[in-house]
Structures are given as C-alpha cells and as structure tokens.
Amino acid sequence: MKVIMPLGWGINTLKPGIKGKDKNFLGDEMTGNSIRSALLEYADIEYCELVCSEHGVGVEDSIGQLDVAVDLNRTCRDRERAKHQLWYFQNGEGEGTDRTFELYAQYYDGIIFAAKKAYDKYKDFKTRSGHGVVFMPLAADPHLFHPVDPDPAYAFDVAYCGNDIKRHRTMPYLGPAMQYNFGLFGRWSEEHRELLGPISKGQIDFEQLRKLYSSSRAIINIHYQDCLDWGLWAGRIYDVLACEGFLISDRPYGIPEEFDKHVVWSLGGENLAEQLEYFLADPERTKPFREGAREFITRNHTWKHRTEILHNYLQEFK
C-alpha cells in the first residue's frame, strides 16, 4: 500500500526535530512524521511520505498510483492524487468541530477522529464511499520526548509553551503563574501581546522543549476552547508525561481517569493559584505524579499504539 499525508502548510524538512521559522516547531509535521515512521514498520506499507506541494514537497512521478491520502489539514490538492482520501481530524476549529465536520466530511472516503466527543456523536456516520469512522487520539513520540538532565537555564517554577490563540482562557491559567519564576515561550503577538509579549522568551525547538519539561517544577497546559469541549486531548499532555514532567492542565471532555495519577486538573484562576502554592512549596509533592509517567505513556499512548488503529482501518481501503 502506498500512503501520503498531505499537510496544510509549513513543511521544512521530513526528518524528526523539525524547526520552522524562528525555531517554531510544527505540530502537524511532528504528528505526521511519527505516524509515518510507525506505519513503515508494517510489511504491507511500501511507501509513506508527508507532502505539501505549496512548499515544494510533492510525490515523485515514479511512485505511481497512490492508494490512500491521510489528510492532516483539510488540504484540497495533494490528497486528490490518491485513490482513497481520508481525513485525520486532529485540530481544534474556531467555527466549531461539528460545523467543520458537516462542511468537509462529504469530501472523504474515511474519517479518523482525534476528538472523543466528535467520535461519540458521529460514530455511526458513513462516508461518501460507505465506510465507517474510527477514533485515534493524539499521542507521544518517545524518541522525541524523553527525560533529559535538568538545565538551570530552563529551571523555572512554572512554564508554559504555546501561542496567543487561547483568548479568554489565557489569563485564568497564566495569570497565577506570573508571580513566580515564570518561563513563557511561543508567539505572543495577538490579544495578549502588550501583557505577555514582553516577557515571552520566544519560540523553542525540540531539544529546548525537552529541557523545559524535564527542568521546570510545573508545566501548564491550556486547551483551545473547541478542543476542551469536544475532547481533543492536547498532545502536550502526552509529551510532558513522556519527559516525566509535572503537568497542571484544564480537563478536556472524556479524557480517561487513568490520567488522574499523573496530571493535576485545574479550573484556573483561584483554583490554580492554590494548586501552585501547594505544589511549589514542597517539590516532594509532585513526585507521585512524575513517577511512572513515562512508563504510563510508553505502555499505552505512543504513536506506535495509535498507528495500529490506523493500519487496521487502512485495510478497508485495499
């Protein structure tokens, strides 16, 4: 079987450890690379590649007929080279997951949901070619995310890596952290640029990100509102735990209780302020959450586990 994974934007290199402009890592490309590597371990997958013709990364003519395109971003050009067109619906949507699904589902032969509530709602849906849908949450690549020796340059009391896109959810989760030694990374040039732009340390690459997760006393995660509501569990949850970091996050719809042993769930605001005061007062209090976190991920939540779901689904399209 020959498979491509079209990206909506931003291919810089097809190797793990990608960096975009100003060292900003590209989440969809990271996801695609991890899936690609895992798929190629199967004997019946003879070809699998990420493509983005808009950035000059296409498919060589010598490859011939492609069997399946697994679209990572609703692109409308590269996927048309394949006989069967699938959609890995793995991004939050400003207009709403349900609205986006209703607009774009008609263009696909197969749909893979990363959001639990979306799968629950549409699990009986049949695509244009009569196929069903499957659920495949995000995961961690343990080769990219693993514990490293603590680095004093990244030893913050509290850290957050993300961009200025969470709107009203931003300050209830970052405000309480600002009274501590706070490490803020990412692009902060939108709604919160005046307050957070000046303190942001800029964008960050994978090596630095591993150091941040392994060295800081607490990592904050905030879901985009649509992801929170529809149960698209953030990749950062898996990545931080794979590095044995201590994570405090808002709780998205449907995430299994097994995560409770390794994540502190927060409502933000006063609740988060109290949690930070409690855990930062004594580092020993975070140890039960860190211990076994990587093993929990590597045994249950890697891209190799997820790709087994995808590979089984691909059998329908032979």
Side-chain angles (χ1 to χ4, degrees), residues 2 59-67 81:
K2 298 176 183 178
V59 181
E60 298 176 6
D61 291 337
S62 61
I63 298 301
Q65 177 64 56
L66 297 164
D67 297 295
R81 278 208 54 177

Side-chain angles (χ1 to χ4, degrees), residues 4-9 11 50-59 66 68-71 74-85:
I4 59 170
M5 287 182 284
L7 290 170
W9 57 80
I11 279 190
L50 274 68
V51 298
C52 184
S53 60
E54 292 182 5
H55 290 262
V57 183
V59 181
L66 297 164
V68 174
V70 182
D71 199 345
R74 305 198 314 274
T75 53
C76 296
R77 288 163 55 182
D78 292 311
R79 63 181 169 84
E80 294 174 357
R81 278 208 54 177
K83 194 186 311 180
H84 304 288
Q85 298 163 8

Side-chain angles (χ1 to χ4, degrees), residues 5-9 26-32 35 70-75 87-93 97 100 111-116 118 134-139 224 226-227 231-235 303:
M5 287 182 284
L7 290 170
W9 57 80
L26 304 170
D28 291 332
E29 193 169 355
M30 178 188 73
T31 295
I35 294 173
V70 182
D71 199 345
L72 299 180
N73 247 308
R74 305 198 314 274
T75 53
W87 178 19
Y88 185 25
F89 193 173
Q90 48 89 36
N91 283 307
E93 300 291 341
T97 284
T100 300
I111 298 172
I112 305 133
F113 286 106
K116 182 65 168 66
V134 293
F135 175 52
M136 188 175 83
L138 301 181
Y224 188 62
D226 188 65
C227 297
L232 204 169
W233 313 328
W303 281 114

Side-chain angles (χ1 to χ4, degrees), residues 198-258:
I199 66 171
S200 173
K201 301 181 185 303
Q203 295 163 338
I204 192 170
D205 63 25
F206 283 115
E207 183 178 356
Q208 294 169 315
L209 199 56
R210 288 191 290 264
K211 291 179 180 179
L212 185 71
Y213 293 166
S214 299
S215 305
S216 290
R217 297 171 66 188
I219 304 294
I220 300 294
N221 176 69
I222 314 169
H223 285 84
Y224 188 62
Q225 185 68 57
D226 188 65
C227 297
L228 188 81
D229 295 340
W230 285 90
L232 204 169
W233 313 328
R236 192 176 314 281
I237 293 176
Y238 305 99
D239 299 341
V240 173
L241 298 189
C243 294
E244 295 184 347
F246 175 62
L247 180 67
I248 302 179
S249 174
D250 49 2
R251 183 168 198 147
Y253 170 93
I255 195 164
E257 292 182 359
E258 63 181 354

Side-chain angles (χ1 to χ4, degrees), residues 39 42 44-45 306-315:
L39 269 183
Y42 291 94
D44 61 335
I45 304 296
R306 301 294 191 254
T307 305
E308 183 177 354
I309 299 170
L310 176 58
H311 182 257
N312 289 338
Y313 191 45
L314 290 178
Q315 304 312 301

Side-chain angles (χ1 to χ4, degrees), residues 3-222:
V3 180
I4 59 170
M5 287 182 284
L7 290 170
W9 57 80
I11 279 190
N12 287 273
T13 170
L14 296 180
K15 298 178 181 178
I18 10 79
K19 299 177 183 178
K21 295 180 180 179
D22 302 320
K23 299 191 294 186
N24 181 47
F25 68 82
L26 304 170
D28 291 332
E29 193 169 355
M30 178 188 73
T31 295
N33 267 307
S34 298
I35 294 173
R36 171 184 176 272
S37 296
L39 269 183
L40 286 171
E41 294 184 14
Y42 291 94
D44 61 335
I45 304 296
E46 60 177 296
Y47 177 86
C48 185
E49 198 58 274
L50 274 68
V51 298
C52 184
S53 60
E54 292 182 5
H55 290 262
V57 183
V59 181
E60 298 176 6
D61 291 337
S62 61
I63 298 301
Q65 177 64 56
L66 297 164
D67 297 295
V68 174
V70 182
D71 199 345
L72 299 180
N73 247 308
R74 305 198 314 274
T75 53
C76 296
R77 288 163 55 182
D78 292 311
R79 63 181 169 84
E80 294 174 357
R81 278 208 54 177
K83 194 186 311 180
H84 304 288
Q85 298 163 8
L86 280 59
W87 178 19
Y88 185 25
F89 193 173
Q90 48 89 36
N91 283 307
E93 300 291 341
E95 62 268 37
T97 284
D98 50 350
R99 174 63 174 157
T100 300
F101 177 80
E102 289 161 8
L103 285 172
Y104 291 95
Q106 61 185 308
Y107 301 114
Y108 293 94
D109 300 302
I111 298 172
I112 305 133
F113 286 106
K116 182 65 168 66
K117 188 175 182 179
Y119 174 72
D120 290 344
K121 179 173 181 177
Y122 298 109
K123 61 184 176 183
D124 296 323
F125 179 84
K126 298 298 181 183
T127 68
R128 66 182 183 182
S129 53
H131 293 277
V133 302
V134 293
F135 175 52
M136 188 175 83
L138 301 181
D141 186 333
H143 300 292
L144 288 178
F145 291 97
H146 52 79
V148 297
D149 292 335
D151 185 330
Y154 296 92
F156 299 99
D157 291 334
V158 191
Y160 178 78
C161 180
N163 298 320
D164 195 1
I165 61 171
K166 306 295 171 58
R167 300 179 180 174
H168 67 282
R169 299 191 55 73
T170 298
M171 291 314 297
Y173 284 89
L174 299 192
M178 293 177 68
Q179 64 177 298
Y180 298 97
N181 176 22
F182 180 41
L184 177 65
F185 296 84
R187 295 191 304 269
W188 292 89
S189 57
E190 303 298 330
E191 182 177 347
H192 299 91
R193 62 183 178 274
E194 292 186 6
L195 178 61
L196 299 178
I199 66 171
S200 173
K201 301 181 185 303
Q203 295 163 338
I204 192 170
D205 63 25
F206 283 115
E207 183 178 356
Q208 294 169 315
L209 199 56
R210 288 191 290 264
K211 291 179 180 179
L212 185 71
Y213 293 166
S214 299
S215 305
S216 290
R217 297 171 66 188
I219 304 294
I220 300 294
N221 176 69
I222 314 169

